[in-house]
Amino acid sequence: MPAGGSRSNSGPPPDPTSAKSEKRGTQLVTLPAGGFTGKIPSFPLPEKTKREATMWRWLWRTPQAAQWSKESWRLMFVGNYCRMLVRMEAGDSSGTVAQNALKLAEQLGMTPHGLRLNGWVLGVDETAVKREEKRTESAGGERRRNFGVVAS
């Protein structure tokens, strides 16, 4: 076993907002809040099942797919992740499949830790934020109308 040296995932992840990251030119990539809207690539593995086709389409509408589309080398990994998710749904709960699916999920940015490792952040859905603000404002007004001064 080698002694010393850096190891994968050892220590804290780089902080893209730190001065050191700024000096290196490290920037976060903001993923589209609404997901990827481009063309979905063909499934890269042989003998695709109907469920895999459905899961493949779903995966390619996630925000992370916007980056995958720019990095064609990830296609095979996304295909394997898709196949493993379907196997786990079908009851293949072997530890190996689950462990490999989690590793792929992190590599593909499908977990909070994976997003950080890839240097990605999810964008803010401005429309949803404004809709929520309006809903909160109108609910607050209704509450105020329900209160009145009580004479003692």
Side-chain angles (χ1 to χ4, degrees):
M1 180 173 193
S6 64
R7 301 213 175 14
S8 173
N9 289 328
S10 66
D15 179 3
T17 61
S18 71
K20 187 174 184 178
S21 291
E22 187 176 321
K23 189 176 179 181
R24 289 180 175 167
T26 304
Q27 292 183 349
L28 291 174
V29 174
T30 302
L31 303 177
F36 178 63
T37 57
K39 185 178 182 282
I40 297 174
S42 300
F43 190 72
L45 304 176
E47 302 175 23
K48 167 182 65 177
T49 66
K50 188 175 179 179
R51 180 62 184 147
E52 285 173 343
T54 302
M55 183 66 73
W56 181 254
R57 283 190 302 275
W58 176 81
L59 284 168
W60 279 93
R61 291 301 174 221
T62 63
Q64 291 84 339
Q67 281 303 111
W68 303 337
S69 69
K70 297 175 185 174
E71 303 166 337
S72 60
W73 59 269
R74 289 192 192 250
L75 279 177
M76 190 65 71
F77 294 100
V78 179
N80 280 316
Y81 178 61
C82 178
R83 185 158 279 174
M84 286 179 200
L85 289 176
V86 171
R87 283 181 62 185
M88 290 188 329
E89 276 184 348
D92 182 353
S93 58
S94 73
T96 304
V97 172
Q99 186 177 27
N100 287 330
L102 179 58
K103 283 181 183 178
L104 281 173
E106 286 190 348
Q107 291 172 4
L108 296 172
M110 296 299 288
T111 65
H113 184 245
L115 285 168
R116 280 193 308 276
L117 289 175
N118 282 292
W120 301 341
V121 292
L122 296 176
V124 177
D125 184 353
E126 299 292 336
T127 308
V129 169
K130 288 180 181 175
R131 191 179 315 121
E132 179 62 25
E133 285 173 357
K134 278 187 174 182
R135 191 181 68 74
T136 304
E137 287 171 7
S138 66
E142 288 176 20
R143 281 192 212 117
R144 275 186 236 115
R145 277 181 264 144
N146 290 336
F147 290 103
V149 178
V150 177
S152 47

